[in-house]
Amino acid sequence: MAGRADSTVLAGARVVLPTGTVENGRVIVEGTRISGSSPEGARTVDLTGHWVVPGFVDMHNHGGGGASFTSGTVDEVLTGIRTHREHGTTTLVASTVTGEMDFLAQRAGILSELVEQGDLAGVHFEGPFISPCRKGAHSEELLRHPDPAEVRKLMDAARGTAKMFTLATELPGGIESVRLLAEHGVIAAIGHTDATYEQTVEAIDAGATVATHLYNAMPALGHRSPGPIAALLEDERITVELINDGTHLHPAALELAYHHAGAGRVALITDAMDAAGFGDGQYQLGPLAVEVKDGVARLVEGGSIAGSTLTLDTAFRRAVTIDRIPVDDVVRSISANPARLLGVYDRVGSLDPGKDADLVVLDGDFALKGVMRKGEWIIEPKNG
């Protein structure tokens, strides 16, 4: 772990900018921000043979490092945040899971304090307003219809830090809740849904803009009943989340989403739970027991996939080396697109001058070698 240098020039790497990749490029860091010019006496770090990309932005994450964002103490939540930072995620939204309304309101209050002090970028409520038919790793007895009054209660509890709600918009109150969220600038995400194609189109027209982990926890694509997947892929207003861990999606499904939606409408997420960056074992996801074996998290009762143990550096490397997605497109999906959705692209999501000095250094094989957040090395790469 190293401290902050006043002025640093990262030189010799392939630098991925919004306009494309620059060979033998350089990134200039002054204090906490990226600069457009190099002052005298700046320290130079030789990164020849490496890539420099923007820090990753994860808009759907339940925990890591053995810590849960859903139930952990403040110190435990900070442990989870640090774990993901060490894997390149410099901007992170904390996601909850289904629970009692009063408990979720209490958690929102705790997490909002961490947003206010700059450790988190917002709060995402995944549940309880989801379909029992597609509940995944959510407790069925705690599910409820998306009553706009209850949605508003959680928004208020988050004190302006709520960034996203995942809803089964076909349920009673779903469309009204989407409209409420859209009016307040909060993302309405369609997920854990049993909606038809037509019901999904109605929700998009009402203001929904995100597909929560596309393909997972929703009806499969059918040729007579295309369901939500077709509606979400075809509509340019929708950004589709993808969990690229090799378990949640077949590579062909990921390729289909990139091909049909385009790189500008994909957000790579982790949907991570406590075991991310920690290891196999027994865990809790909300009130439900989870066993993680060989890196795959499943409910002890029923065997449903229970989030992931993914970190975004693994998702990046897999997208480039296995799925053969162009590096520039992966950078858009893992940094710029989620930053825009979260309303923080003016500060993060690219390596433009004036933005926070949040960046990731990868070697020629796309293994993580360095992470900087706001000008401070979390993991310092070797010079040369």
Side-chain angles (χ1 to χ4, degrees):
M1 193 76 71
R4 175 178 291 129
D6 288 336
S7 300
T8 303
V9 179
L10 309 179
R14 291 177 173 175
V15 178
V16 181
L17 302 174
T19 52
T21 298
V22 177
E23 301 285 342
N24 193 26
R26 64 180 193 164
V27 177
I28 303 163
V29 176
E30 277 198 83
T32 64
R33 297 187 180 275
I34 297 170
S35 176
S37 61
S38 177
E40 288 187 21
R43 173 187 175 227
T44 297
V45 179
D46 180 9
L47 294 177
T48 301
H50 291 69
W51 294 79
V52 177
V53 301
F56 307 147
V57 180
D58 193 353
M59 56 189 281
H60 188 156
N61 189 313
H62 299 278
S68 169
F69 298 153
T70 297
S71 58
T73 65
V74 169
D75 285 344
E76 288 170 340
V77 173
L78 289 171
T79 294
I81 294 169
R82 282 194 298 271
T83 297
H84 285 283
R85 284 181 185 169
E86 290 168 357
H87 290 274
T89 298
T90 51
T91 301
L92 178 68
V93 170
S95 302
T96 64
V97 295
T98 294
E100 296 282 0
M101 285 294 297
D102 288 343
F103 176 76
L104 290 174
Q106 178 193 37
R107 291 305 300 174
I110 293 170
L111 294 172
S112 66
E113 293 179 9
L114 294 174
V115 178
E116 290 160 1
Q117 65 188 40
D119 292 298
L120 291 170
V123 181
H124 163 216
F125 294 97
E126 187 180 22
F129 310 117
I130 60 176
S131 171
C133 303
R134 305 287 173 177
K135 65 182 184 297
H138 291 256
S139 178
E140 184 167 355
E141 58 266 26
L142 296 176
L143 300 182
R144 51 213 298 135
H145 291 161
D147 180 349
E150 293 192 324
V151 171
R152 184 60 186 261
K153 176 181 177 178
L154 293 182
M155 287 173 54
D156 290 344
R159 303 200 303 266
T161 68
K163 288 290 186 180
M164 184 163 67
F165 279 72
T166 291
L167 309 169
T169 53
E170 76 278 8
L171 296 175
I175 297 300
E176 293 80 5
S177 295
V178 168
R179 292 195 181 108
L180 172 70
L181 292 168
E183 287 169 6
H184 286 82
V186 180
I187 297 166
I190 300 171
H192 288 275
T193 176
D194 202 42
T196 63
Y197 174 91
E198 291 76 15
Q199 288 171 327
T200 306
V201 170
E202 183 184 9
I204 297 169
D205 287 341
T209 56
V210 166
T212 294
H213 43 54
L214 186 74
Y215 300 112
N216 300 115
M218 60 182 64
L221 185 65
H223 63 290
R224 291 194 182 91
S225 299
I229 294 172
L232 294 164
L233 279 177
E234 73 182 8
D235 198 301
E236 294 185 356
R237 294 170 289 182
I238 292 290
T239 298
V240 297
E241 294 182 344
L242 298 175
I243 308 170
N244 191 24
D245 62 353
T247 298
H248 282 77
L249 298 177
H250 189 283
L254 181 126
E255 183 181 0
L256 175 66
Y258 265 98
H259 177 76
H260 204 75
R265 292 205 292 117
V266 172
L268 293 177
I269 61 162
T270 61
D271 194 18
M273 46 80 72
D274 313 16
F278 199 69
D280 290 357
Q282 304 292 319
Y283 296 88
Q284 289 289 129
L285 189 60
L288 302 178
V290 176
E291 180 179 16
V292 178
K293 185 176 180 181
D294 298 327
V296 179
R298 294 187 180 274
L299 292 183
V300 171
E301 186 175 335
S304 291
I305 295 176
S308 84
T309 62
L310 185 63
T311 52
L312 281 182
D313 58 329
T314 298
F316 190 112
R317 190 178 191 186
R318 181 181 177 88
V320 174
T321 62
I322 295 176
D323 304 305
R324 303 297 179 185
I325 307 297
V327 174
D328 290 12
D329 288 348
V330 177
V331 168
R332 292 176 71 186
S333 304
I334 213 165
S335 298
N337 296 344
R340 284 195 181 94
L341 282 166
L342 297 171
V344 295
Y345 189 67
D346 60 326
R347 303 195 309 274
V348 301
S350 74
L351 297 176
D352 290 317
K355 292 193 176 184
D356 290 348
D358 291 2
L359 57 87
V360 175
V361 179
L362 306 168
D363 68 13
D365 296 321
F366 299 97
L368 184 142
K369 295 298 178 181
V371 181
M372 177 182 281
R373 184 174 187 270
K374 294 188 176 180
E376 183 174 359
W377 287 117
I378 295 169
I379 297 174
E380 185 167 3
K382 292 181 180 179
N383 194 347

